[in-house]
Amino acid sequence: DGRILGDEFADYKFKITGGFDKQGFPMKQGVLTNTRVRLLLKEGVSCYRARRVGERKRKSVRGCIVGADLAVLNLVIVKKGDNEIEGFTDVSIPKRLGPKRANKIRNLFNLTKADDVRKYVIARTFEKKGKTVTKRPKIQRLVTPVTIRRKKQREAAAKKALENSKAEAAAYTALVHKRIAEQKEARRSEISKRRSSRRASSKRE
């Protein structure tokens, strides 16, 4: 509630996003205490920047509960009140850059699929070494005849590779069956030769 900070912030709603205590230790989300604790931190968590892969370190952090020992408290305005904050809510700062993605440009200017997105890209002009330079972002996910042709080529290549792999698998299966049949035939002929030789030896006896 903004009234806690003063009457000029009445009807304002703030969200606490962080802060530092008087010794400079940062507040960490999820540590439900108003004192300082030492935690074993790893890469990817807040309040710690790993220098090596897999490195862990025990660091001092401040709990996320607000107390009297805080020197800095970071706030975000959730709901704006009636009074303006000088230099903050009474100033409108335009965006320096516009959207890059094709669909987001269409949504911004209410365009249809038939309109050319490239004509509506927000460009910025500035002076550099006495020359006027205009810069535009490269439009992402822009569907052009080239991208359509490349997509068709990829699909055709994938289809051809699938057909080739099926044909090779069928040829390999046929070869395996042929080899198995040859082995069986060779085995049968060998067994028949043994039987005939046994009969011949028994007759001689």
Side-chain angles (χ1 to χ4, degrees), residues 27-174:
M27 297 172 71
K28 181 165 174 59
Q29 181 67 37
V31 183
L32 301 177
T33 180
N34 60 353
T35 57
R36 202 182 303 158
V37 294
R38 283 175 62 79
L39 300 176
L40 187 65
L41 304 177
K42 64 177 183 177
E43 186 179 5
V45 299
S46 59
C47 305
Y48 176 62
R49 181 170 66 87
R51 267 67 171 183
R52 300 176 67 181
V53 176
E55 183 185 46
R56 297 189 301 167
K57 210 165 191 179
R58 197 169 293 280
K59 304 284 283 185
S60 292
V61 293
R62 169 65 166 67
C64 64
I65 297 175
V66 176
D69 61 329
L70 292 177
V72 178
L73 198 63
N74 301 330
L75 303 175
V76 171
I77 295 176
V78 177
K79 180 184 171 230
K80 186 174 173 289
D82 298 330
N83 300 328
E84 299 284 349
I85 302 174
E86 186 179 351
F88 191 63
T89 59
D90 59 347
V91 178
S92 178
I93 302 172
K95 280 189 174 182
R96 193 174 70 92
L97 302 174
K100 285 182 70 174
R101 195 182 299 175
N103 279 339
K104 291 191 175 180
I105 297 171
R106 289 191 187 100
N107 293 336
L108 181 65
F109 294 103
N110 199 18
L111 305 176
T112 62
K113 293 281 186 181
D115 295 323
D116 190 4
V117 180
R118 289 170 285 193
K119 296 178 182 177
Y120 295 89
V121 178
I122 296 174
R124 61 189 182 94
T125 307
F126 56 92
E127 296 287 335
K128 186 176 182 182
K129 296 180 181 178
K131 294 182 181 179
T132 304
V133 182
T134 303
K135 292 193 81 172
R136 293 180 179 83
K138 182 187 175 186
I139 302 174
Q140 304 296 317
R141 303 187 189 180
L142 181 65
V143 180
T144 60
V146 176
T147 57
I148 293 171
R149 186 174 72 245
R150 286 175 181 167
K151 185 178 179 182
K152 287 182 178 178
Q153 286 175 351
R154 285 196 304 270
E155 289 175 350
K159 188 176 180 182
K160 188 177 179 181
L162 183 63
E163 291 173 354
N164 289 342
S165 65
K166 283 183 178 179
E168 289 174 359
Y172 177 74
T173 306

Side-chain angles (χ1 to χ4, degrees), residues 182-197:
E182 289 175 355
Q183 288 176 359
K184 285 182 179 179
E185 187 63 32
R187 179 75 176 160
R188 285 198 199 99
S189 63
E190 188 178 346
I191 291 171
S192 62
K193 284 179 183 177
R194 285 179 184 174
R195 284 176 181 170
S196 61
S197 64

